[in-house]
Every structure is written in structure tokens, then in C-alpha cells.
Amino acid sequence: MGRLAGKTALVTGGGQGVGRGIALALAAQGAAVAITGRTERTLKDTAAEIAGRGGRALIVVGDVGERDDVDRMVARTVGEFGRLDVLVNNAQSSVQRALEQTSYADVELAYRSGPLAVFHAMQAALPHLRASRGSVVNLGSSAAVQGEATFAAYAMAKEAIRGLTRVAAREWGRYGIRVNVVCPAALSPAAEEFFAAHPEKAERVLSAIPLGRMGDPERDVGRAVAALVSDDMAYLTGATLMLEGGRTLIG
């Protein structure tokens, strides 16, 4: 049956990488999962994998940077499955440049697809999460926590998401809704492409991880998210979990 049997989850950016891993792990624990994104092909692939394992999946093509699309994602999920218990805000677009080269357009892209998308999704989901006393997981990043060079727009967006998460945790606790952040380090297609282009950076990153490896999107990140949104973690809210094998230690 799984610890999430009878529950419904919505995962943005669920067609590949960490989002795909989270969607697969939630489905493995019994949740019906709606996955959203801009590329229908990757969404179909993830949905087919979930169905092949005996789970239930819905795909909704759309752009989290568009408020109408976000509203439609939530409405389709509830229309198909009848409820919403878990919202995972994973989707994020950004470009990587030195601070002095970062443009307003770069920042706007990161904010529209990041904190504004999270803000819109949380507002759209709130009535349904109140009914289910559900859980929200927002994706942050150690690049923002640590202030890594060349991540100006991305770091701004991700730390804005963490701030929004803490506010929501305080305001929505009275509804029984938990809101947390996870900062993962996993071998998504984007991470693999970046490391292939910057092998020296990849070596430095791996050497800084006490567990000695990058995480697996499903086994290391997805299963942790599944545990986080389950009743096993019912007393945790407003937290930032660094799922990075010990690379970033914060107090």
C-alpha cells in the first residue's frame, strides 16, 4: 500500500531529473501523481514509468511562469484525482553568469519560474491543502545557501523561495499544512551537462561531499521527499533539509 496510499501529489518539472525522481518515489509509496512541465515527451516518459510500476499518473503540459497555467495544473489534478495532499515546487529556469554580467532579463526569468511560480502554485493549492491538511515541499539550492559565484540570479530566486516557505509555515500551520524546503545534490540531466562542461568543477564538488558521491534523484532525493510529506514527519515545518551527502552544513 505505501505510506502515501490514498493521497495525491502534484510535482512541477516532473519530466526529468530531480522532479522525475520525486514523482517516481511518491508514486512508489502509493500516491497518485500529477506531473507538469513544458515538454510533453518527458512527462509522458515519466508517467509511463509510473504506470509500468502499477501507479497512477496524470500529465499536465504548461509553464509554471504563467499564472493561468499554474491554476490549470492544480485544477486538473483535483479534477482527475479528487483531492490534493502534496505540492512539490521543483521547476526552475535560470542562467549562470558572473554577477556583473547578469541582466535584468536573467533575474526576471529566475524569479518568474522560481519564487513567483511557487507563490502562485501555493495560493492555487491552498484551499485543497487546507481540506487535506497537506504538505508543501519547495526546492532550494546550496548554491544559494552558500552564495556560489556565477549563480546570482539563481541564488536570488532560491533564497526568495526559502523566505516564502518560512512565512507560509508560520501562517498555514493553523490549517495543519506543513511547508518545508529541500536542497538536493543529484545527478539530473542539467547537473550531468554542467559537470561534463566543467570537469574541474565536478571534481571539486565531489571532493567536498563527505559521502563521496552525487545523489540519485529517486533513491536519495525522491524517497526523502516521500518520507518528509508522510505522517512520519508530521511535526516538521519551516525547515531546510540539505540532501547533499553532507556537502553543506548549516546550523
Side-chain angles (χ1 to χ4, degrees):
M1 291 292 291
R3 68 178 81 183
L4 300 179
K7 296 185 181 296
T8 294
L10 168 60
V11 181
T12 69
Q16 62 181 351
V18 169
R20 171 184 170 275
I22 292 172
L24 292 172
L26 294 174
Q29 287 297 322
V33 182
I35 51 175
T36 77
R38 293 177 297 178
T39 306
E40 185 176 25
R41 175 183 54 80
T42 59
L43 295 175
K44 285 184 174 180
D45 289 345
T46 302
E49 189 166 357
I50 290 172
R53 299 182 184 185
R56 293 186 297 161
L58 167 73
I59 68 169
V60 185
V61 179
D63 182 351
V64 295
E66 300 294 334
R67 179 64 187 258
D68 289 347
D69 280 8
V70 172
D71 290 342
R72 179 169 53 84
M73 291 168 186
V74 173
R76 283 284 311 280
T77 301
V78 175
E80 177 72 17
F81 297 124
R83 60 186 295 150
L84 179 61
D85 303 89
V86 177
L87 171 64
V88 179
N89 287 302
N90 165 74
Q92 173 78 64
S93 298
S94 186
V95 296
Q96 186 180 347
R97 308 187 206 280
L99 176 58
E100 65 269 22
Q101 297 170 345
T102 299
S103 68
Y104 179 83
D106 296 336
V107 174
E108 184 178 46
L109 171 65
Y111 263 74
R112 184 170 55 82
S113 63
L116 288 177
V118 171
F119 168 72
H120 293 154
M122 288 172 61
Q123 283 194 333
L126 177 58
H128 312 290
L129 295 173
R130 286 184 65 173
S132 65
R133 298 179 69 84
S135 184
V136 179
V137 176
N138 296 325
L139 274 287
S141 171
S142 64
V145 172
Q146 298 190 116
E148 291 187 13
T150 74
F151 282 89
Y154 183 73
M156 291 167 67
K158 286 302 189 184
E159 286 297 270
I161 289 172
R162 286 214 304 151
L164 177 60
T165 298
R166 291 190 291 267
V167 170
R170 289 192 182 277
E171 292 189 1
W172 293 0
R174 64 181 180 270
Y175 307 137
I177 300 171
R178 298 186 298 110
V179 192
N180 292 291
V181 169
V182 297
C183 296
L187 279 176
S188 65
E192 291 178 342
E193 181 179 340
F194 177 77
F195 285 154
H198 305 86
E200 292 182 358
K201 175 71 171 179
E203 184 176 348
R204 288 197 301 271
V205 168
L206 289 174
S207 67
I209 298 176
L211 292 183
R213 63 179 178 84
M214 292 289 288
D216 178 83
E218 180 180 358
R219 292 193 306 272
D220 296 317
V221 178
R223 292 194 304 185
V225 171
L228 177 60
V229 302
S230 76
D231 291 340
D232 293 345
M233 301 289 280
Y235 200 53
L236 184 68
T237 194
T240 295
L241 302 183
M242 308 303 295
L243 298 177
E244 305 181 303
R247 177 171 177 252
T248 303
L249 303 176
I250 60 176

